[in-house]
Amino acid sequence: YLLNRIVNRLNRLLVEQLKAQGMTFRDWRVLAFLAATERRTIVELAEYSVIPHSTLSRLLDRMERNGLVRRTSAPHDLRAVALTLTATGRRRYERILPMALALNGELMRGFTAEERRTLAALLGRMRDNLGLD
């Protein structure tokens, strides 16, 4: 319950800032995922971002029209679609990243380096217990 409330509040704060940039929270999830992973498939993105595949397809259509992402055939399977950030998408990600990092800094204010490491390890163990990547 507490984790859910914290994440919900953090996301709402980020949404306010994203709106001023003409972005949605889902747009940010896509940009952040692709910036961190380079080239991925829609299936991988849907799993990571927790965005239903049908919703994600429409979102990617819009993001592609806006020049933020590019879809190509996946090299390992021509039936699969690979996603990459465009130069415009990368610039948008780099413009928003400092805002997200500042919110994270606010969230972690007052934590020592050791407390941050401990929290990351505990959350990582919880993630592993649930079989998440």
Side-chain angles (χ1 to χ4, degrees):
Y1 173 76
L2 185 56
L3 279 174
N4 188 45
R5 289 201 58 210
I6 291 167
V7 168
N8 189 6
R9 177 67 177 144
L10 186 65
N11 288 347
R12 278 189 285 138
L13 291 170
L14 184 57
V15 163
E16 291 171 16
Q17 294 184 11
L18 290 170
K19 197 178 289 186
Q21 299 291 321
M23 299 284 294
T24 68
F25 187 72
R26 288 179 171 171
D27 293 338
W28 169 245
R29 279 186 182 173
V30 170
L31 292 180
F33 177 75
L34 292 177
T37 61
E38 295 300 318
R39 170 181 258 176
R40 292 298 180 153
T41 67
I42 292 176
V43 172
E44 291 167 321
L45 175 58
E47 183 177 322
Y48 172 82
S49 65
V50 195
I51 300 172
H53 196 279
S54 60
T55 302
L56 187 56
S57 290
R58 288 187 304 274
L59 173 64
L60 291 170
D61 287 343
R62 183 177 48 77
M63 292 180 79
E64 191 170 33
R65 278 193 310 274
N66 292 336
L68 301 173
V69 299
R70 181 177 306 113
R71 295 184 219 192
T72 58
S73 295
H76 63 282
D77 182 354
L78 296 179
R79 294 169 298 163
V81 175
L83 301 165
T84 55
L85 281 182
T86 63
T88 301
R90 170 100 24 215
R91 284 190 301 275
R92 180 75 61 94
Y93 166 78
E94 290 170 354
R95 189 170 71 223
I96 295 169
L97 181 61
M99 291 184 275
L101 292 174
L103 281 173
N104 188 62
E106 182 63 23
L107 176 69
M108 300 303 290
R109 184 173 28 112
F111 282 68
T112 66
E114 181 62 28
E115 288 171 329
R116 289 172 188 238
R117 283 191 295 275
T118 299
L119 179 59
L122 292 171
L123 291 171
R125 197 160 67 200
M126 290 169 79
R127 179 202 59 222
D128 294 346
N129 288 345
L130 294 174
L132 299 172
D133 290 332

